[in-house]
Amino acid sequence: MHTDGNPTTGTSAREHLSGLLEGLLKRAPGATRALLSSGDGLKLAFTEQSPDDADSLAAVISGLYSLGRQQFKNTAGGIRQVVVEHDGGRLFVMSAGAEFTDDRAVNTVLAVVAAPGADAGQVGYEMETFIRGLDEHLVVQARPNSFSGSGM
């Protein structure tokens, strides 16, 4: 884990984000787990799941987000939310850091898994509040391409 550079807290940035995600779950009744991921599928912080499950969820939400973007590629604006409803609950995927327009950055995606009876409006509201509260911290610099194309 990377540290946040603050020697007085001893808390990593990932642990701090995970703590904020825990707060999101407490404010959204019926929400059971949360994950913050880069738009290309790298988990950044998560709650209530194993690291392997978080990796799997990060890949799923990256794919959902990408499919939504592809569908509207010739339309102004951006993907705000994708919701998957299942008999076992709902998966909410929301774009985070969308106002950032640096081509060298990858958007961040927030996912919340909720029980079937969870109030979708309340979950969505709490997700938006979470995103607004972190704003510029939710943009991830794109990973450099390890293939130089020089044939070496």
Side-chain angles (χ1 to χ4, degrees):
M1 284 190 193
H2 333 358
T3 61
D4 62 5
N6 186 344
T8 61
T9 64
T11 303
S12 74
R14 184 174 290 182
E15 288 169 334
H16 180 70
L17 282 173
S18 293
L20 293 174
L21 287 172
E22 289 287 345
L24 166 64
L25 292 182
K26 289 177 184 170
R27 291 186 306 277
T32 58
R33 56 191 168 121
L35 173 116
L36 189 61
S37 167
S38 65
D40 60 355
L42 178 67
K43 73 178 181 261
L44 302 174
F46 56 93
T47 64
E48 307 302 322
Q49 56 201 305
S50 71
D52 287 343
D53 288 344
D55 283 333
S56 177
L57 182 57
V60 166
I61 67 174
S62 173
L64 285 171
Y65 182 77
S66 179
L67 287 169
R69 264 195 356 225
Q70 182 63 27
Q71 175 59 39
F72 295 99
K73 67 181 175 187
N74 296 321
T75 306
I79 297 296
R80 284 182 253 141
Q81 183 175 353
V82 176
V83 179
V84 176
E85 291 192 46
H86 183 274
D87 291 338
R90 290 187 185 122
L91 168 62
F92 298 87
V93 179
M94 195 172 284
S95 177
E99 298 301 315
F100 196 81
T101 57
D102 185 339
D103 290 339
R104 296 166 296 160
V106 175
N107 201 15
T108 307
V109 182
L110 174 64
V112 171
V113 177
D119 181 341
Q122 184 68 31
V123 172
Y125 171 79
E126 294 300 341
M127 290 175 74
E128 286 181 19
T129 301
F130 177 88
I131 291 165
R132 277 195 310 270
L134 293 181
D135 199 22
E136 72 276 359
H137 302 291
L138 294 180
V139 175
V140 177
Q141 291 302 313
R143 293 186 291 269
N145 186 348
S146 60
F147 302 105
S148 65
S150 64
M152 295 188 164

